[in-house]
Amino acid sequence: MTKVITYGTFDLFHEGHYRLLQRAKALGDYLIVGVTTEKYDMERGKLNVVDSLPIRIENVKKTGFVDEVIVEESLGQKINDVQKYHIDIFTVGSDWVGLFDYMSDYCKVVYLDRTKNISSTMLREQNKRIQKIGIIGSGRIANRFVPESKLVSGVSAQAVYNPHKESAGRFAEKWEIDAYDDLNAFLRDVDVVYVASPHETHYEYIKASLEHGKHVLCEKPMTLKKARTEELFAYAKAHKLILFEGIKTAYCPGFEKLLGIACSGTIGNIRYIDACFTKLQKTTDRELSDREYGGSFTELGSYCLLPIMKLFGNAYEDVRFDVIHDGNGLDIFTRASFTFPRGIATATCGLGVKSEGRLLIAGTKGYIVVEAPWWKTTYFEVHYEDASQVEKYSERFLGDGLRYEIRDFLNMIGGNNKSDFKLTRGESVAMAGIMEKFLEQEKRGLV
Ligand code: CTP
């Protein structure tokens, strides 16, 4: 008996898949198909698979060509499968020519011609109207956003707005998109908006975008006033629009896993959280030259507040700020100390002082530690009283990580709210309230 194996995602099952499986079966007597898990696809950078694993398996089985289905969970599994199932022929489509030649040490490798003009990617694009995204602001983060957006299907960066025509022009030329210095014209021509302008301008830009009926993804901090954040969310809700605060950590898989472990009871009841993020910045950069809204806390505070809000909730009893200022009165190192009914937390941010930058979550049975850059969570450890007992967890964080929030934003626009727990409106409002308190105390010279 000749045993054949092939692998694939088989998303939105199409004719190309059918013909591939038909010819694979014809190569032998017994066909095994490996279907990828969602997690493996995520790790490979395929973020937009539509069909769940059971549906993809069902579709593969329905062809009638398949004798056995297995799941493909990780890189390197293929060689083990070939040996384990005593495979004679390994086959895949011709888009993979050469890439699996190394398998010929174990079995025969056959590349089958790919069916032309059809692919899951093509179908996903057709099913989903491509959202034309317009970017407000053309600074560093906007420059990171464009390449990340290219990795998420269903969205295309089309335009940039900046009241400074030359800046918009330079950015547009670099990314081959359209430049606007007229906000109304810009908002008319795009479907959704990404706000990446200086913090204090977010509120007006979000408001204008929502009033033009556009969904908005806004960089953190969304606004610097609680009432403003509440007002914008209420407007968005009333007009059935998505307003989404882009704190990238909240959407990355490693942070999700970390929260899951922290909440699982493995470290007991959480009593203390210490989150620190410091970055040495040039004094000419906006963060250190904007006397009114620059400084470490408005720039980095959202990251440090995130794990605190996620694990202790929004209802803190008290917050106190300790601040080191530079010669211009700008906060270059700030520690916000919170008391909650059942725990305490510190959020420490630095732009002119470098510190260790880690996240520590301490509980009644043990603690979790994530080293810098914990805000791009890839690896963390759980420790217990017995120092020799350490559990290690790791997760992928691809590129700049903005792709995860863009994906979740688009899913929400598409009516799929399965990720809206990752950063709730209540959490965004509470964070704006903390920023407001901090800025007020700074203004009054209290910190
Ligand atoms: N395949 C094929 N002809 C097509 C599309 C896919 O022969 N037009 C083959 C692939 O070469 C692979 C198998 O079908 O051997 C499963 O491929 P998969 O990656 O699931 O399908 P794609 O449509 O290529 O998916 P995507 O667009 O997401 O890459």
Side-chain angles (χ1 to χ4, degrees):
M1 182 165 79
T2 305
K3 284 179 114 180
V4 183
I5 198 162
T6 189
Y7 295 85
T9 305
F10 301 101
D11 189 28
L12 301 172
F13 200 86
H14 56 69
E15 195 202 335
H17 296 143
Y18 183 89
R19 294 196 56 238
L20 188 284
L21 295 179
Q22 187 177 38
R23 286 171 293 154
K25 171 73 178 185
L27 290 172
D29 309 301
Y30 191 85
L31 176 63
I32 302 179
V33 180
V35 182
T36 54
T37 61
E38 280 158 30
K39 191 164 176 288
Y40 181 43
D41 276 324
M42 282 263 286
E43 282 170 12
R44 299 193 301 153
K46 258 190 168 176
L47 299 183
N48 284 317
V49 175
V50 176
D51 290 334
S52 66
L53 179 60
I55 290 177
R56 289 181 286 122
I57 290 177
E58 196 51 41
N59 289 336
V60 164
K61 281 186 180 161
K62 266 197 230 157
T63 60
F65 302 129
V66 181
D67 298 287
E68 190 174 342
V69 175
I70 58 172
V71 293
E72 186 183 19
E73 294 176 272
S74 59
L75 193 73
Q77 183 184 321
K78 292 186 179 79
I79 285 184
N80 289 333
D81 288 344
V82 163
Q83 296 173 92
K84 183 162 127 193
Y85 296 103
H86 306 289
I87 297 299
D88 301 292
I89 302 174
F90 169 89
T91 185
V92 275
S94 51
D95 42 328
W96 298 99
V97 166
L99 281 164
F100 292 105
D101 288 357
Y102 68 90
M103 301 282 283
S104 58
D105 288 347
Y106 305 90
C107 62
K108 190 173 164 193
V109 176
V110 176
Y111 298 104
L112 293 168
D113 278 346
R114 197 176 154 87
T115 306
K116 292 201 171 53
N117 298 324
I118 182 87
S119 73
S120 304
T121 305
M122 201 192 253
L123 293 175
R124 283 193 289 264
E125 305 276 311
Q126 278 167 10
N127 286 355
K128 216 191 240 174
R129 195 167 84 77
I130 303 285
Q131 300 284 345
K132 285 189 275 175
I133 194 157
I135 301 164
I136 296 183
S138 47
R140 279 163 285 152
I141 183 75
N143 271 293
R144 290 208 291 270
F145 183 85
V146 181
E148 287 279 320
S149 71
K150 288 185 198 294
L151 297 162
V152 183
S153 66
V155 67
S156 163
Q158 298 268 315
V160 60
Y161 165 80
N162 191 321
H164 306 290
K165 211 174 177 165
E166 299 75 47
S167 305
R170 275 197 304 275
F171 188 89
E173 200 174 318
K174 177 173 177 191
W175 297 110
E176 297 178 334
I177 59 177
D178 300 324
Y180 290 80
D181 60 354
D182 173 343
L183 186 61
N184 285 324
F186 165 85
L187 289 173
R188 206 183 44 227
D189 290 353
V190 301
D191 299 320
V192 297
V193 175
Y194 172 56
V195 179
S197 52
H199 314 319
E200 67 279 15
T201 63
H202 288 178
Y203 170 75
E204 292 298 340
Y205 285 138
I206 296 172
K207 196 160 176 254
S209 305
L210 293 174
E211 283 169 0
H212 275 75
K214 312 295 169 176
H215 303 290
V216 181
L217 162 56
C218 180
E219 259 310 312
K220 48 86 203 156
M222 184 189 285
T223 80
L224 301 167
K225 280 195 161 62
K226 184 172 178 237
R228 287 188 155 190
T229 301
E230 282 171 335
E231 175 204 321
L232 293 172
F233 275 128
Y235 185 95
K237 192 173 178 204
H239 293 82
K240 297 194 166 38
L241 293 167
I242 302 296
L243 172 58
F244 189 104
E245 184 173 14
I247 305 180
K248 71 179 175 194
T249 312
Y251 302 95
C252 77
F255 189 71
E256 224 183 307
K257 185 184 254 182
L258 167 81
L259 293 181
I261 302 278
C263 295
S264 71
T266 185
I267 59 164
N269 296 317
I270 300 168
R271 293 287 183 249
Y272 173 54
I273 302 170
D274 178 31
C276 177
F277 187 163
T278 66
K279 185 160 89 171
L280 291 185
Q281 198 90 33
K282 281 190 268 169
T283 47
T284 46
D285 286 343
R286 175 192 49 78
E287 293 87 330
L288 285 177
S289 56
D290 178 347
R291 297 274 296 272
E292 208 171 344
Y293 299 105
S296 66
F297 197 64
T298 53
E299 184 59 25
L300 303 173
S302 309
Y303 290 115
C304 297
L305 295 176
L306 179 72
I308 298 173
M309 300 284 112
K310 295 296 316 174
L311 295 169
F312 276 157
N314 313 337
Y316 58 90
E317 288 170 341
D318 184 38
V319 58
R320 207 190 66 237
F321 302 98
D322 295 298
V323 184
I324 297 171
H325 293 103
D326 69 1
N328 295 321
L330 210 68
D331 73 293
I332 52 166
F333 193 76
T334 294
R335 187 180 58 210
S337 307
F338 293 87
T339 46
F340 285 86
R342 312 208 54 173
I344 57 172
T346 44
T348 309
C349 310
L351 279 182
V353 177
K354 190 69 195 163
S355 184
E356 198 181 356
R358 60 166 198 181
L359 171 62
L360 178 78
I361 303 166
T364 51
K365 291 185 185 160
Y367 67 92
I368 300 177
V369 66
V370 203
E371 300 300 341
W374 60 264
W375 48 95
K376 301 181 186 180
T377 325
T378 52
Y379 175 79
F380 60 91
E381 292 182 354
V382 184
H383 293 248
Y384 300 94
E385 180 61 26
D386 171 2
S388 65
Q389 191 194 345
V390 180
E391 287 153 15
K392 301 173 180 185
Y393 294 88
S394 57
E395 197 53 77
R396 280 274 190 100
F397 181 91
L398 297 170
D400 247 318
L402 292 169
R403 65 193 70 179
Y404 302 113
E405 70 182 39
I406 302 172
R407 174 202 59 194
D408 286 349
F409 174 57
L410 288 179
N411 280 341
M412 276 160 88
I413 291 173
N416 174 352
N417 285 350
K418 71 177 179 207
S419 52
D420 65 356
F421 69 94
K422 292 181 189 171
L423 180 61
T424 66
R425 287 180 203 156
E427 285 156 359
S428 283
V429 167
M431 287 191 215
I434 296 162
M435 294 280 164
E436 180 174 3
K437 231 177 224 163
F438 170 74
L439 289 171
E440 231 172 59
Q441 293 191 13
E442 280 250 287
K443 210 174 204 165
R444 289 166 49 202
L446 298 175
V447 291

